[in-house]
Every structure is written in structure tokens, then in C-alpha cells.
Amino acid sequence: MKRKVLLLCLSLMLSLSLLPFTAFAQDASFSLSVNNDSPAVGQNIQVTVTGDQLTDMYGYEINLTFDSNRLRYVKASSPLPGFSVPMAPKDGKLVFAHTKVGKVAGEDGKAVLATITFEAIGTSHKPTVVGLSKVELVKSDLTSTIHAPLVELEVTPVGKPVTFNDLNGHWAKEEIEWAAGLGFVNGYTDNSFRPQNHVTRAEFTAMIVRALELESTSSTVLDFADLERIPEWAKPFISEALSAGIVTGYQDGTFRPQRLINRAEMAVMVMRTLDGNPDIGLKPTFEDSDSIAAWAQPSVAAAAEAGLLNGRGNNRFEPAANTTRAEAVVLILRLMDYKNSAASR
């Protein structure tokens, strides 16, 4: 029975492109609504597609557009009786089809066609748009009409509003305040952020673990030779990062938590979060690439190619230079966007 229903549904969907239709009909109207237009990052929202002035609607196909860097598709469903076919979105385009089954009447008047669930992702606090670009309606006699409603709604993912007293005019002010709202960096007790302060290995490790919300199934016991020098607040983060393969110790068995992280080390740690080691044959194209240690060159090259890291001027990477708090924040935000974009593809 299920097989017959599936075949009937697929036959009906195929008929959308084969049977007669009245192109761009204007009788029916459509709207979009959202249950929360200011979701927190990581929170789900539900976008509802509603049709009005419907006449004998037996089946339909809706086409939506969205920014896959800002919203991650979760699922789609219809409250109407029948059979639904949600198709995996591609390049921010989503197709959802539904049909009734058997000799039943189509819908008249107003009806909810579908509810699309998205997760708010990304690191921007600017509005993002969900659009309804096309709807194809099928009547019970299998004639169809195409509608181009061009309906849009805005969604603005938000973090907690955070401001600092020392960021006016700073190039990374917006990114730092957004990162603080997301909760993976903090300021100081005097409400300053101190963006030009350098970052230690322990601090950068904690930032990455918080930002990526790493949680291992089993805690790794730290046995570094300098364990007593690792602050208590940093130990859980270092344990998580060690379990995930993001950090390692030095050849002498130390971790050196208070050592300032340099740009080469930062590139290697970031690329380790992307599930795999870069091709050992990759070579960076910076003017000072010869000064980048061989163990770091593939990671630096891959990070630059992915748009995660830039040079500091005159196309120089400066691998031994220490990383500032502002630079670390911007890099991690880029990493979050990159991972979200990759997950949406």
C-alpha cells in the first residue's frame, strides 16, 4: 500500500511539469510568517507558508530561498492529509511537495501549506531573508497553475547585547561585541575588552572550545609535565581540545599554557578543527613563506585559501608574531561561518 501511495505521489509531482497549466495565475495568494523573527543563534524557528483564495487544491509544490550561511534547514512538514516529499535543499533553495491521496476533495479558501523548521546559525547580526519564489498548485482533475508570489520575510539572529568601553573606532568592534554576545569571549571587570592584548595558548584553546561547543564523550586526563601551571579554569577546555585533536603538547611533555600563541600555531589549531589534515604538499604564497616552519606551512596555506587568515600587510604572514585578542575573535568567527557553510552544502 505504501508503495502505491509513493508511486501516486511521484506521478502527481511529475504531472506538475507535464500537464496543462495557467502560467502565473493571480487568483490565489500566499504569505510567510515566522514564530520568532529574532532567534538566538542555535535556536530553531518555524516559517509557515499559507495559501488563501484556494480552489480545489489537491496538491502543490512550493519553492523557497534562504541564506544557508545564516539558516540551517532542519525539516519540513504539512498539516494537510496526504503525502509529503521534502527535497534536500541545495545552494539555499528548498523545494517541498505535497499531495492528497485517493478520491477526496481539494482544499478551498485558506490553508497552511507547510511549516519549515530552520536553525539560526552564523556570526552576523544583520537580517537575513526567507523568500517564497514559486508555488505550483494542482487541482483534483490534475490541472495545475503556477504562481510567482515573491513573498519575503526577515529574520535577525541575535546574541546577547554586549558593549565594551574601549572599542570605539576599533576595526573589529562589531565582531568582538557579537562574539561576546555568543558567549565565547569575555571582557574584563572594568568593562574593557583590551583588543590589542596578546592571547595565550590556554586562552585561545578556551575560545575555540566555547565557540565550537566541543563536548567529548570521555574526558581526557591531562598529564603534561607542567600541569601545575595550567589554571584550573583552563583545564576542562584543554582536555576537550586534546580529545578532539586540536591541541598537543611540546616534545618535552609540557603544554605551556601561558605562552603567547603565534600566528603559525593558531593556523594549525584552526585547521585541526576542520576534520582532517591539509595536504602536506600545500605551500603558502605569502612573501615571507620561507620563514613559516615546515610543520605549519600546509595549515597556513589551507587557512589562507579558505579565507580564514590574511596577511598583515605587504602580503606577509609573520608566522612568529603573537596574536591579539581582536585577531583571535575575528578568526574564530570566520571559522564558525566556514563550518556552518560547509555543513549546509
Side-chain angles (χ1 to χ4, degrees), residues 164-205:
F164 297 102
N165 59 25
D166 59 345
L167 294 181
N168 287 339
H170 193 276
W171 63 271
K173 179 179 188 298
E174 182 177 303
E175 290 88 346
I176 291 169
E177 291 178 345
W178 180 250
L182 293 177
F184 71 82
V185 292
N186 301 307
Y188 293 89
T189 55
D190 62 356
N191 198 38
S192 66
F193 184 77
R194 307 176 195 177
Q196 297 309 116
N197 278 14
H198 291 136
V199 180
T200 66
R201 280 169 50 83
E203 289 170 335
F204 190 70
T205 300

Side-chain angles (χ1 to χ4, degrees), residues 39-51:
V41 171
Q43 183 177 5
N44 283 357
I45 62 170
Q46 294 182 329
V47 175
T48 300
V49 183
T50 302

Side-chain angles (χ1 to χ4, degrees), residues 28-91:
S29 62
F30 304 91
S31 61
L32 293 175
S33 60
V34 63
N35 67 333
N36 182 2
D37 61 4
S38 299
V41 171
Q43 183 177 5
N44 283 357
I45 62 170
Q46 294 182 329
V47 175
T48 300
V49 183
T50 302
D52 202 356
Q53 302 178 60
L54 303 171
T55 303
D56 187 27
M57 183 191 71
Y58 188 85
Y60 58 85
E61 178 186 288
I62 59 177
N63 292 253
L64 290 97
T65 59
F66 64 98
D67 184 350
S68 57
N69 291 319
R70 307 291 306 286
L71 298 172
R72 179 183 293 121
Y73 169 76
V74 177
K75 64 180 180 179
S77 62
S78 173
L80 300 176
F83 191 86
S84 297
V85 180
M87 301 181 188
K90 184 178 181 181
D91 299 326

Side-chain angles (χ1 to χ4, degrees), residues 30 38 96 99 105 114 119 132 139 152 161 186 225 233 245 265 268 282 292 300 304 306 312 314-315 319:
F30 304 91
S38 299
F96 178 82
T99 180
E119 178 191 2
L132 179 63
K139 293 186 176 183
E152 295 183 339
N186 301 307
W233 65 263
E265 291 174 322
V268 171
L282 283 178
I292 302 173
V300 172
R312 277 189 163 182
N314 298 320
N315 196 35

Side-chain angles (χ1 to χ4, degrees), residues 245-246 248 262-273 277-278 295-300 303 309:
I246 296 173
T248 59
N262 63 43
R263 286 166 55 81
E265 291 174 322
M266 183 175 67
V268 171
M269 285 180 63
V270 164
M271 295 312 298
R272 284 175 179 162
T273 71
N277 297 316
W295 56 265
Q297 287 198 8
S299 293
V300 172
L309 280 171

Side-chain angles (χ1 to χ4, degrees), residues 165-338:
N165 59 25
D166 59 345
L167 294 181
N168 287 339
H170 193 276
W171 63 271
K173 179 179 188 298
E174 182 177 303
E175 290 88 346
I176 291 169
E177 291 178 345
W178 180 250
L182 293 177
F184 71 82
V185 292
N186 301 307
Y188 293 89
T189 55
D190 62 356
N191 198 38
S192 66
F193 184 77
R194 307 176 195 177
Q196 297 309 116
N197 278 14
H198 291 136
V199 180
T200 66
R201 280 169 50 83
E203 289 170 335
F204 190 70
T205 300
M207 286 184 189
I208 283 189
V209 171
R210 287 194 195 109
L212 301 185
E213 298 180 339
L214 296 179
E215 292 183 5
S216 62
T217 54
S218 61
S219 181
T220 298
V221 177
L222 302 180
D223 60 355
F224 295 110
D226 57 348
L227 183 61
E228 74 284 352
R229 300 186 61 187
I230 300 177
E232 287 301 317
W233 65 263
K235 287 180 180 178
F237 299 112
I238 295 171
S239 176
E240 295 289 356
L242 194 63
S243 296
I246 296 173
V247 297
T248 59
Y250 291 91
Q251 290 182 343
D252 63 359
T254 61
F255 183 77
R256 307 179 196 178
Q258 302 305 325
R259 176 172 174 165
L260 298 180
I261 193 168
N262 63 43
R263 286 166 55 81
E265 291 174 322
M266 183 175 67
V268 171
M269 285 180 63
V270 164
M271 295 312 298
R272 284 175 179 162
T273 71
L274 297 178
D275 301 324
N277 297 316
D279 185 338
I280 60 173
L282 283 178
K283 299 293 183 184
T285 58
F286 295 103
E287 290 294 327
D288 57 346
S289 290
D290 289 344
S291 65
I292 302 173
W295 56 265
Q297 287 198 8
S299 293
V300 172
E305 184 177 319
L308 301 177
L309 280 171
N310 301 315
R312 277 189 163 182
N314 298 320
N315 196 35
R316 295 180 60 82
F317 183 71
E318 300 184 19
N322 297 129
T323 300
T324 67
R325 280 166 58 81
E327 288 174 327
V329 164
V330 171
L331 171 60
I332 293 174
L333 287 175
R334 288 175 182 166
L335 173 64
M336 293 170 68
D337 275 341
Y338 186 87

